[in-house]
Amino acid sequence: MVKAKGNARKSREGFVLDNSIVMAWSFEDETDEYADAVLDRLAIARAVVPALWPLEVANALLMGERRKRSTEAETIKWTAILKSLPIVIDGDTNAHAWSDTLTLARGHNLTAYDAAYLELAIRRSLPLATIDGKLKVAAKTVGVALFEVS
């Protein structure tokens, strides 16, 4: 089983940003105080995301349009905002997909997508910002700190 090595170190990257946080920013019915605080922290810290993140965001926003939760104009607005934020896309995500990520997904009953965030947090020794319950439990189990906003 893949485990974190020691505590999450302080880094210029700051934290791994899970898509559950981004969707809370994007959809009014998913508003969350913690997610809002994470957004505020991007004023002083960078986030890192797995390579799948842009597609995951695009798909969620598109599904929001199709389900009449948002409009195309809102999607265009949000993607412009997201592009302006200090979010770094990890270039090594795919190299771990069929090994550590798959192992984490199996071992913690996660989707491969969610396991990619956990794998990234482990590999980069960064805390994880998420509001996904299963991902929080998995992070705690493997020793990944949750990102604190206080």
Side-chain angles (χ1 to χ4, degrees), residues 114-144:
D114 286 346
Y117 293 92
L118 186 56
E119 182 279 324
L120 181 59
I122 292 168
R123 179 165 37 89
R124 295 222 182 171
S125 299
L126 292 171
L128 175 64
T130 185
I131 55 176
D132 182 288
K134 283 176 71 172
L135 192 50
K136 284 182 182 180
V137 170
K140 183 176 181 177
T141 300
V142 300
V144 167

Side-chain angles (χ1 to χ4, degrees), residues 52-133:
L52 64 92
W53 181 75
L55 290 171
E56 191 175 16
V57 169
N59 189 64
L61 294 173
L62 181 61
M63 292 302 102
E65 289 177 28
R66 289 181 181 167
R67 293 177 181 140
K68 307 295 185 209
R69 294 177 69 200
S70 62
T71 65
E72 181 179 347
E74 290 169 323
T75 294
I76 291 167
K77 174 187 131 191
W78 273 112
T79 54
I81 290 169
L82 292 173
K83 286 179 195 174
S84 74
L85 295 174
I87 299 172
V88 176
I89 298 172
D90 176 66
D92 295 325
T93 301
N94 293 338
H96 300 272
W98 295 341
S99 55
D100 293 340
T101 302
L102 195 52
T103 298
L104 286 165
R106 280 190 192 111
H108 300 281
N109 196 29
L110 298 171
T111 66
Y113 307 116
D114 286 346
Y117 293 92
L118 186 56
E119 182 279 324
L120 181 59
I122 292 168
R123 179 165 37 89
R124 295 222 182 171
S125 299
L126 292 171
L128 175 64
T130 185
I131 55 176
D132 182 288

